Amino acid sequence: MLYHLLYQFLDINLFKYITFRGFYALITSFLISLVVGPYIISRLKVLQKKEGGYVREYTPDGHQLKKHTPTMGGILIVVAVLVSTLLWCRLDNFYIWIVLFALLSFAVLGGWDDYKKIKTKKGISSKTKFTVQLFLAFIIATALFMYPDFNSTLYLPFFKNVQIDLGLLYIPFMVFIIVGTSNAVNLTDGLDGLAIGPSLIAVASFAFFAYVAGHHKIAEYLHLPYIAGSGELTVFMMAFLGAGLGFLWFNSFPAEVFMGDAGSLSIGAVLGTVAIITKQEIVLAIVGGIFVLETLSVILQVAYFKMTGKRLFLMAPIHHHFEKKGIEEPKIVTRVWIISILLAIIALSTLKIR
Ligand code: 57M
């Protein structure tokens, strides 16, 4: 809104720049989440107190103590991102409305699951949740596919000349990326700060990828596809970064609030959608390597158990395995952040190694 008011209407040049608006979108959303956080947490505590806490029966011992930590804290991220985006982003940009739809629709789905878990101890059925995820992802994928500028070419990192035209198959591919990332972040969200840390590192990386993809000269120099208008997503992702840092302020160990599915599903959906728009879907698997590892550990655990009747890990997802081995929660989380930073550096290096 400020872009249209102060640059288009009052001709204040500063508000034209994506970098300027990005930094202030980050500061705005960070301050909003710090100011609004305590209030939202207190309201979530009241909601949860009435119904008693929610912790899965079969769970590592330390988690029983978390029984009264309120969930659905993802609302905090969504509110801060929404206000900052409406303030600092260009509202005539198609991609901004697509990522806002991804954020809000998956947050509502997740919030519905969280609310039902609080009220009835059981969330919505996995089948219903998965079906709604597929439907929402299909809407996003179809909207992107129908957009005039969209091209159905899949680009691979490291190989600048390898381009695979998926044609209509790009739609199920996009659905897979969005739903897969959404559920991978959800699985990862099992220790204080464990999901938000790698998410912020991925959000920061894609703020940069969006800037590069939307900058004709830089994209050409790096042999990357130029996606006109995608640079505006940098402002959105900086708003997301600020909101996520604000959430981490409260979710760091010992957490005062959990993000809930309202947070994890929406963060994953936004990361998947932005990776698709910037044509960096494969790079998302590198930056989000922790999410891939967590999901793989569950798949391997279930498959191994079905084949041998034994567990491959002490418990899956893999963060519980390390807990069971006696590693303290903050140490597990900090090491995951370190690995995520290294993965982001590798992912950013793919821009040059082509
Ligand atoms: C998402 N939810 C956390 C919190 C958070 C198929 C199977 C692998 C599914 C998986 C599962 O149900 N995952 C759901 C993980 C839960 O966190 C809540 O859920 C929201 C995210 N969706 O925002 O509201 C618990 O995680 C802890 N937590 C923190 N700090 C945080 O900042 O400490 C979360 C955020 C919270 C809190 O204790 O209650 C979760 O872990 O459920 N199932 C599992 O992950 C379970 N694994 C399992 O059953 N493994 C089996 C088979 C199926 C692979 C095996 O290893 O044989 C584990 N999770 C729990 N107990 N809680 C192990 C058992």
Side-chain angles (χ1 to χ4, degrees), residues 56 58-59 63 66 71 186 189 192 251 260-261 301 311 316:
R56 201 184 304 280
Y58 158 63
T59 188
H63 289 255
K66 299 167 178 258
T71 188
N186 184 37
D189 192 30
D192 298 355
N251 183 242
D261 285 38
Q301 177 84 327
R311 283 187 159 84

Side-chain angles (χ1 to χ4, degrees), residues 290 327 330-340:
I290 287 295
I327 305 174
K331 191 175 268 300
I332 299 171
V333 174
T334 308
R335 288 176 173 176
V336 162
W337 291 357
I338 293 167
I339 294 166
S340 289

Side-chain angles (χ1 to χ4, degrees), residues 54-56 58-60 63 66 71-72 114 117 186-194 251 255 257-261 264 298 301-302 311 313-317 319-320 329:
Y54 164 76
V55 170
R56 201 184 304 280
Y58 158 63
T59 188
H63 289 255
K66 299 167 178 258
T71 188
M72 216 197 300
D114 292 331
K117 270 183 201 150
N186 184 37
L187 278 177
T188 306
D189 192 30
L191 297 178
D192 298 355
L194 187 71
N251 183 242
V257 67
F258 298 152
M259 67 170 70
D261 285 38
S264 57
V298 171
Q301 177 84 327
V302 173
R311 283 187 159 84
F313 303 101
L314 295 177
M315 189 182 276
H319 56 263
H320 287 310
E329 181 170 354

